[in-house]
Amino acid sequence: MIPEIGRAASLVALVLALGGAVAATAGGRTGRSALVEAAQRAGVGVFVLISFCFALLTYAFLTFDFSVRYVASNTNLGTPFYYRITGVWGALEGSIILWAWMLALYTLIIVLRHRETTREFYPWVLAVMLSVLAFFLLVMTVAASPFERLAPVPADGRGLNPLLEDTGMITHPVALYLGFTGLTVPFAFAIAALVTGRVGDAWITMTRRWTIIAWYFLSLGLLIGGWWSYHVLGWGGYWAWDPVENAAFMPWLAATAFLHSVMIQERRRMLKLWNISLIILSFTLTLFGTFLTRSGIIASVHAFTQGAIGILFLSFLALVVLVALGLVALRWDALRAQGELDSVVSRESAFLLNNVLLIAATFTVFFGTVFPLLSEAVRGVKVSVGAPFFNQVNIPLFLSLIFLMGVGPLIAWRRASTDNLRRNFLWPVALGFLAALVAFGAGVRPTLAVLTFATTVFVSATIALDFGRATRARRRTGERLLPAMGGLLLRHNRRYGGFLVHFGVLVIAVGVTGSHAWSVQTETTLKRGEHAELAGYRVRFDGLSASEESNHAKVTGAFTVSNGRVLDVLRPAKKFYPQQQSPIAAVDYRLGLTEDIYLVLGDFARDGTEATIKLQVNRLVSWIWIGGVVITLGALLAILPEARRPA
Amino acid sequence: MRTVRTRRLVVVLLLGATLCGTAAAQQPARSVTEETVHEVAAQLRCVVCQNLSVADSPSEMAQQMRAIVRERLAAGERPEQVVQYFVDRYGEWILLSPRPRGFNLLVWLFPAVAVAVGLVILTVVLRRWTRQHRASAATPSTLDAAMSERIRRELERER
Amino acid sequence: MRRAWRWLIPLSAIPVLALLAYGFRTNPRDIASPLVGRPAPAFALTAFDGTAVSLEAHRGRVVVVNFWASWCYPACYEEAPVLERAWRTYRDRGLTLIGVDIQDKREAAEKFIRDFGLTFPNAQDLTGKVSVDFGVYGVPETFFLDRRGQIRAKHVGALTDEIFRANVERLLAEPEGKPGPA
C-alpha cells in the first residue's frame, strides 16, 4: 500500500512541479498573472505532496513496514525509536526526499512572503525554484525512489548503518541541506535578474537575509560534521579533506566570498557581474557536491552509490551551468558597468582581495579533489590527493584571510587616509607583533602557530578597538555602559553580527592550529593492570566486558585515566553488528577546554587479558565547537530585523 | 648520512621525552620511534578506508600497516625507505600527497597560480577604477537637460 | 569580435564537465598493481591444517595466490566454489593454489573452509605482512604467478571460471625457464 501511494504522490508532485515551472516561465514572458498564480498554486501543491510523502515514509519507518525496500535496508526490528525517525534520511533515497522537501519549503516561503515584494522577479524565481524541485522529484521517482516495493516482504530489515546511530545524524544532514538548498534562493533571484535584465541591486537586497541564513546553515552543517567525525568515526580528527567534505566546503567558500562582495554592490553599486557569477558558482558547487557524493566517481567515505543517478546529476549540473553562464554572456553589456575607486587602499580593495583568496581556495580545493581523475585520464596513473596536500596549500590562504578579517571592517570605503589607517591599525598591529614575540618567547615553536596567534590577536584587537570606540562615543551622550553596548549591537546588528561571526572564526582558527600543532598520540598493547602514559596522563587497562544491545553485540574496555589523581574511567568499545563486515569502534573521550583525552579500542584478546589502544591527547579542539556557538550568535544578531532608521 | 640519522634520532628522542613525560620503563625504544611511526604512517593512505591516513585509521588493516612501519623502522630503515616500500607495492596511490614531480606539479602549483592570476586581475581592475575616478573627477560636471534625462532613466533601470 | 569572446564563459565549463563524465568510465577502487611483471614476494605461513606453506616450494609450477576473508560477502562466497572446482581440475596439470586468509578470526575462517569444502592449502596471515607485501587493498584479490615465480596478472574481485581458466591456461602453456611476455 505505502509504496504505491508514495510513488503516486511523488509522481503527481513531479508533474505539478514541471507544470508549475512551465507556467511560471510563460507567465514571466507574457506578463499574464493568471499563469503566475497557477505556478504559485503548483508550488504550494508540491509542498503539500512532498510533506505527505515524507510523513508517509516516516510512518513506514516507525511501523517497521518492510514491504518498503528503503525501510528494510535501513532499519530492523532492533533499531531504537529515534533512529527510526532519523533513519528516514539515512541513505540515498531519503536524502533526496529531504532535499526536495526543503526546496519545497523554501518555495512555499517565497510564495507566502515575497509575492508582493519582488514584482518582476517573482515569476522567474518561481520558475527556477520549481525547475530545481522538478529535477529532484525526477530523481526521486525515476532513479532513487524511497517507495520501491520489496517482495517478498522480509521478516526483518538490514538495519541502519551503525555509524549513523548518533545524534549527529539528526542534525548534520538537516543543517547542511538547509544550507545547500538555501543557496537556491539567491541563485533563483540572480537568474531572474539576468532574465529580466534588472541586474542592479534589487535582487541582492531581496536575498540578503536568505544568503546569510543559507551560509549559516552551511557553516553549522560543516561544524556538526566535524563534531560527528570527531566523536564517532574513531580516528581522532574532525576534518580529513575527504571529497565529500570538500564538496560541502567549496560552496561554503564561494558563498562566503559572495556574502562579502554583495556588500560592495550594496554600497557602491559595483561588481554586478562578479556577484552574479559568485552566486552561480556557489549554487553549481552545491550541485557538484551532490553529484560527487552520489556518483561514485571519486572514492569517498560518504559515497552513497554509483550508477544511473550520477548521470542524472551530471546532466542537470551541465544544464544549469550552461544556461546560467549563457545568460551571463547574454547580459554581458549590462553587467559590465565601470567601477570607480578613489584609492587602492580602501575597503573595496580589501573585500576584493578577500574574494580573490576565497575563490583561489575554492578552485584549489576543486582542482585537488578532481586531480585523481585528471591524472588517470591523462597519465593512466591513479594518485591520491589527501589531507597533507590540502593542509599545506590552504594554510597560507586561510591565514591571509584571517588577517584580512582584521583589515576589512575597519578600513575606510573609497579611500583610506593615512590618518584612518593609523587610528584603526596602529595599536592592533603593535599588539599583534607583541603577541608574536610573547608566543615565541614562551616557547611556542611551530612558526605557523606563532603566526596564527599573532594574527588572531591583531584581528581581535581591531574588533575590540572598533567596538570600544563606538561604545565610548555613545557614552558621551550620557548613556551607561551596558545599555550603550547593547544599543550598539542592536542598532548596527549587521556590523556587529559580522564582527561576532569573525570572532567565532578566530576561535575556530585557534582551535584548529592548536589541535594540529600540539596534539600527541601513541599506540600500545596493554595487559590488564598495565598503564600507558602520554602528556602527563596515565591510562590503566582494567578489563573488558561484553554486552548485548538491541541490535548489536558490544565489547567494552574499562580504562582508568589519571594525572596524579583519578580523573575518569573511559569505556571505548567495539560494536559488532550482524550485518557489518567488521566491528565499529566506539571511542570514548574526556573533553576539556584545552585538552581532550581520546581513546580507541583496537585489537583485544578474547579472554580480556590484553588490549591494544590508540591514545590521543588533542589540544584546543573544544575551541572549534565553541567557535561554532559564537558564529551562531553572530549570525542570529546579523539577521535581526533592522532597527528603524531615518530614511 | 650517519650524522643525519643520529641527529634525527636525537630530535625524536627529545620530542618523545618532552611529550611523553615519564615514559613507561618497560618500552623506551618503542616510545622513541612512535613519533616517527606516526610521521611515516601519516603519509600513507589507509587502503581499506576512504581518504584516511594509516596513522589516523582505526581499522585493523591500518593497525597492521602501522605495525609493519614500526617493525621496519626498528630494523633500521629510514622513513623514506619505509614509504618507498609501500609505494613499490601499491603504486603512487598509497601516498596521501602526490609526489611533486612531473604531472603532479600541476596540482601543487595551481594554488599559487590561482592567487597570482587573481592578484593580476585585481590589480588591473583596481588601476582601471582609480583611473576612471580621476578622469571623471577631472571633467567639469555641467549637467544639461539631455544628460540629466539620461541619468534619470539609467537610475530607473537600476532599481 | 569582442562580442563573441563573452561566449567563452559558458564554453569554458565544458572541459570540466567532460572530465567529470570521464569519471563514469573509471572505478576509483580499481588500482593497477605495480607488482605485475615482477617476482612475487616470498612468504612462509602455516596452513590451517598445520602444514607449512611457502612459495619457493612450488617453483616450477604455476601458482595462484588468492586473498580472502570469511566476512567478505558476497564476493568471496561466490568465488570459493570456483576456486575449488579449478583446484580439482588443474592440480594434476601443474597448478598450485594457495589461499591466504587476512584480517579474520580463526574459527570463522575454518568454518568458511568447511562450508565450501575447500581442499587446497589455506593459511592465515595474522600480521598482515603477506597481504601488504602483495599490495592487497581489499578482498578478494587473486595473483597469477608463472613457473618462475613472476606475478603475471592480478585480479580484483570475485573470480569466475572463465577468468581463472583464461589466465591459468596461458601460464600453463609456457614451459619453465622460457621468459614469457610481461
Side-chain angles (χ1 to χ4, degrees):
Chain A
M1 267 283 279
I2 287 186
E4 284 70 32
I5 299 178
R7 291 204 82 135
S10 18
L11 203 56
V12 175
L14 171 63
V15 171
L16 267 183
L18 277 172
V22 171
T25 316
R29 293 205 66 176
T30 59
R32 290 180 43 203
S33 57
L35 285 169
V36 178
E37 271 169 39
Q40 201 172 275
R41 267 179 262 127
V44 176
V46 170
F47 175 74
V48 169
L49 282 168
I50 299 187
S51 306
F52 171 70
C53 287
F54 207 97
L56 194 64
L57 196 58
T58 313
Y59 176 74
F61 264 80
L62 287 175
T63 55
F64 297 113
D65 186 346
F66 294 133
S67 71
V68 182
R69 178 188 291 265
Y70 185 66
V71 177
S73 308
N74 288 290
T75 189
N76 59 25
L77 292 169
T79 309
F81 166 72
Y82 33 89
Y83 291 136
R84 268 180 277 144
I85 298 183
T86 65
V88 173
W89 54 80
L92 173 65
E93 295 85 347
S95 74
I96 302 283
I97 192 174
L98 182 67
W99 192 295
W101 183 79
M102 285 176 179
L103 268 179
L105 178 67
Y106 284 144
T107 312
L108 182 72
I109 295 177
I110 290 178
V111 165
L112 293 178
R113 294 203 52 175
H114 288 262
R115 213 174 348 196
E116 309 307 319
T117 54
T118 53
R119 282 175 276 156
E120 307 90 357
F121 293 151
Y122 188 58
W124 300 105
V125 171
L126 266 187
V128 172
M129 298 290 294
L130 287 172
S131 305
V132 180
L133 249 180
F135 170 70
F136 279 92
L137 284 168
L138 181 72
V139 173
M140 214 175 99
T141 46
V142 164
S145 175
F147 291 112
E148 241 185 69
R149 178 171 273 284
L150 185 61
V153 179
D156 198 358
R158 243 192 30 195
L160 189 64
N161 184 336
L163 288 174
L164 302 179
E165 290 199 347
D166 179 81
T167 45
M169 219 4 231
I170 305 173
T171 42
H172 167 69
V174 173
L176 207 58
Y177 285 13
L178 281 174
F180 284 144
T181 52
L183 283 178
T184 317
V185 176
F187 172 74
F189 274 86
I191 297 292
L194 281 172
V195 169
T196 58
R198 302 194 185 293
V199 295
D201 307 339
W203 73 273
I204 290 184
T205 329
M206 290 171 195
T207 54
R208 187 183 67 80
R209 224 176 244 119
W210 282 104
T211 308
I212 297 183
I213 293 177
W215 177 90
Y216 170 68
F217 277 120
L218 261 186
S219 315
L220 188 66
L222 287 167
L223 284 168
I224 297 179
W227 162 244
W228 184 11
S229 172
Y230 189 60
H231 85 272
V232 167
L233 294 186
W235 62 284
Y238 43 83
W239 187 263
W241 294 103
D242 178 86
V244 143
E245 291 172 317
N246 297 347
F249 194 48
M250 286 184 275
W252 183 87
L253 287 169
T256 308
F258 178 63
L259 198 64
H260 286 88
S261 80
V262 292
M263 292 186 216
I264 300 188
Q265 185 162 349
E266 280 185 336
R267 273 287 191 131
R268 302 289 324 283
R269 300 183 176 246
M270 305 193 305
L271 300 178
K272 299 189 198 100
L273 172 61
W274 182 242
N275 285 326
I276 289 201
S277 312
L278 276 182
I279 188 61
I280 292 176
L281 182 67
S282 308
F283 179 67
T284 48
L285 283 173
T286 66
L287 287 182
F288 174 70
T290 66
F291 162 70
L292 207 60
T293 49
R294 288 166 182 78
S295 66
I297 64 171
I298 296 186
S300 153
V301 96
H302 249 68
F304 283 114
T305 188
Q306 294 171 252
I309 196 172
I311 300 181
L312 266 177
F313 270 101
L314 185 60
S315 312
F316 187 61
L317 177 64
L319 181 70
V320 168
V321 169
L322 292 174
V323 167
L325 291 184
L327 280 172
V328 167
L330 201 63
R331 294 283 184 219
W332 187 257
D333 291 324
L335 291 165
R336 297 244 312 114
Q338 284 289 27
E340 269 192 28
L341 202 57
D342 297 36
S343 156
V344 169
V345 183
S346 59
R347 192 175 300 186
E348 291 90 331
S349 305
F351 273 47
L352 286 173
L353 191 56
N354 151 301
N355 270 214
V356 166
L357 291 171
L358 280 169
I359 298 306
T362 310
F363 282 133
T364 301
V365 174
F366 180 81
F367 197 57
T369 307
V370 300
F371 189 71
L373 210 52
L374 185 66
S375 172
E376 191 173 350
V378 170
R379 266 175 82 199
V381 173
K382 279 194 165 72
V383 296
S384 300
V385 180
F389 168 79
F390 285 112
N391 283 329
Q392 246 183 293
V393 299
N394 278 319
I395 284 177
L397 291 173
F398 292 150
L399 201 52
S400 315
L401 277 166
I402 293 177
F403 177 74
L404 276 179
M405 273 198 322
V407 173
L410 260 56
I411 198 171
W413 287 101
R414 300 198 77 122
R415 183 169 65 91
S417 62
T418 10
D419 190 56
N420 165 269
L421 289 175
R422 186 164 34 89
R423 242 170 54 92
N424 284 315
F425 298 111
L426 187 60
W427 268 110
V429 168
L431 283 173
F433 266 115
L434 196 62
L437 288 173
V438 165
F440 201 74
V444 173
R445 252 334 152 256
T447 1
L448 207 53
V450 173
L451 268 177
T452 313
F453 186 54
T455 317
T456 312
V457 168
F458 164 71
V459 179
S460 311
T462 60
I463 297 178
L465 193 63
D466 184 281
F467 192 55
R469 232 184 249 142
T471 312
R472 198 154 36 117
R474 277 184 86 109
R475 293 200 59 199
R476 284 214 199 92
T477 66
E479 231 178 332
R480 302 244 288 279
L481 180 65
L482 282 178
M485 292 168 79
L488 205 56
L489 289 178
L490 290 176
R491 188 103 201 290
H492 302 277
N493 61 317
R494 275 182 68 182
R495 183 178 174 79
Y496 289 105
F499 273 147
L500 202 52
V501 169
H502 281 180
F503 190 67
V505 173
L506 286 181
V507 175
I508 292 181
V510 170
V512 169
T513 311
S515 75
H516 272 274
W518 297 308
S519 296
V520 289
Q521 60 158 264
T522 185
E523 186 171 26
T524 182
T525 308
L526 297 173
K527 293 201 184 28
R528 205 189 335 224
E530 277 186 348
H531 61 258
E533 301 200 11
L534 188 63
Y537 292 100
R538 187 178 271 231
V539 175
R540 190 187 70 217
F541 174 40
D542 293 331
L544 297 174
S545 59
S547 62
E548 280 289 330
E549 311 292 321
S550 66
N551 56 349
H552 60 273
K554 197 153 103 164
V555 171
T556 316
F559 296 85
T560 308
V561 178
S562 55
N563 68 345
R565 56 176 231 288
V566 172
L567 292 173
D568 208 344
V569 177
L570 292 181
R571 298 178 198 282
K574 269 203 134 102
K575 301 201 272 196
F576 299 85
Y577 288 80
Q579 76 275 24
Q580 291 293 119
Q581 297 165 347
S582 29
I584 308 282
V587 317
D588 203 2
Y589 42 81
R590 185 187 148 81
L591 298 182
L593 193 58
T594 51
E595 281 182 338
D596 299 341
I597 306 169
Y598 195 89
L599 202 53
V600 184
L601 180 65
D603 257 345
F604 52 86
R606 271 308 184 78
D607 53 5
T609 53
E610 219 177 57
T612 306
I613 56 160
K614 194 160 112 156
L615 168 65
Q616 280 182 311
V617 176
N618 297 321
R619 263 76 188 239
L620 295 184
V621 176
S622 298
W623 286 47
I624 299 176
W625 326 125
I626 295 174
V629 174
V630 176
I631 289 183
T632 306
L633 295 174
L636 278 174
L637 186 59
I639 61 172
L640 284 179
E642 266 133 39
R644 263 175 292 116
R645 287 170 189 214
Chain B
M1 216 28 77
R2 276 208 59 186
T3 12
V4 173
R5 235 199 315 172
T6 322
R7 209 181 306 149
R8 198 177 276 142
L9 195 56
V10 170
V11 169
V12 169
L13 264 169
L14 286 177
L15 258 177
T18 20
L19 292 172
C20 301
T22 42
Q26 54 263 52
Q27 316 151 23
R30 270 180 70 177
S31 59
V32 161
T33 52
E34 208 54 40
E35 280 297 310
T36 332
V37 171
H38 188 249
E39 248 176 62
V40 173
Q43 296 175 48
L44 300 170
R45 179 179 185 155
C46 163
V47 297
V48 293
C49 335
Q50 313 269 32
N51 289 285
L52 277 185
S53 71
V54 168
D56 289 331
S57 165
S59 72
E60 191 178 338
M61 176 106 199
Q63 210 178 311
Q64 289 178 336
M65 285 172 84
R66 286 196 293 271
I68 294 176
V69 171
R70 201 173 285 125
E71 212 180 278
R72 289 188 158 253
L73 285 172
E77 275 190 33
R78 287 196 315 277
E80 311 87 65
Q81 288 176 309
V82 180
V83 170
Q84 189 58 41
Y85 164 75
F86 283 96
V87 173
D88 286 338
R89 273 147 189 75
Y90 288 94
E92 279 183 58
W93 169 84
I94 193 98
L95 293 174
L96 263 182
S97 193
R99 284 202 173 128
R101 277 206 280 276
F103 189 71
N104 294 338
L105 282 173
L106 256 182
V107 78
W108 282 102
L109 295 177
F110 185 86
V113 168
V115 173
V117 168
L119 288 177
V120 163
I121 298 181
L122 186 63
T123 326
V124 167
V125 166
L126 286 179
R127 276 239 193 90
R128 193 184 304 162
W129 284 359
T130 48
R131 215 179 322 129
Q132 176 72 21
H133 170 77
R134 279 198 293 278
S136 67
T139 55
S141 47
T142 47
L143 242 49
D144 62 356
M147 178 64 97
S148 44
E149 175 63 17
R150 234 189 92 194
I151 292 177
R152 192 187 62 78
R153 262 193 275 124
E154 293 269 321
L155 285 174
E156 285 290 274
R157 232 183 34 164
E158 290 283 286
R159 204 155 293 143
Chain C
M1 181 57 182
R2 294 280 294 278
R3 285 184 67 89
W5 280 101
R6 60 174 73 180
W7 295 103
L8 267 183
I9 299 175
L11 289 177
S12 63
I14 296 190
V16 179
L17 294 167
L19 179 65
L20 297 178
Y22 169 79
F24 288 124
R25 298 181 44 200
T26 68
N27 180 355
R29 293 295 296 167
D30 194 7
I31 319 289
S33 171
L35 290 176
V36 173
R38 304 247 289 275
F43 63 81
L45 296 169
T46 314
F48 284 102
D49 59 11
T51 54
V53 179
S54 82
L55 267 188
E56 290 68 53
H58 303 280
R59 187 64 59 95
R61 291 169 72 87
V62 171
V63 181
V64 177
V65 183
N66 170 261
F67 289 86
W68 60 276
S70 67
W71 44 261
C72 139
Y73 178 83
C76 296
Y77 284 65
E78 287 165 14
E79 174 182 78
V82 171
L83 288 171
E84 181 60 23
R85 270 199 301 276
W87 173 238
R88 305 232 176 123
T89 315
Y90 289 100
R91 67 187 297 180
D92 298 320
R93 290 180 50 186
L95 176 86
T96 301
L97 177 58
I98 302 177
V100 180
D101 173 46
I102 67 173
Q103 289 159 45
D104 216 344
K105 298 282 184 258
R106 198 187 173 88
E107 307 81 52
E110 284 173 335
K111 179 172 187 303
F112 184 92
I113 295 174
R114 269 198 314 274
D115 286 348
F116 286 99
L118 303 179
T119 54
F120 55 89
N122 274 287
Q124 210 179 5
D125 178 20
L126 287 164
T127 58
K129 275 199 239 174
V130 178
S131 60
V132 169
D133 246 353
F134 273 81
V136 169
Y137 61 89
V139 280
E141 285 184 16
T142 312
F143 294 82
F144 295 90
L145 282 53
D146 66 13
R147 297 181 194 275
R148 297 175 317 130
Q150 304 256 54
I151 298 179
R152 299 288 290 279
K154 173 181 173 182
H155 182 82
V156 172
L159 279 171
T160 62
D161 294 298
E162 298 79 51
I163 299 175
F164 195 98
R165 203 171 340 135
N167 277 295
V168 164
E169 294 281 354
R170 179 171 61 102
L171 294 175
L172 281 175
E174 285 168 13
E176 180 173 7
K178 188 158 183 228

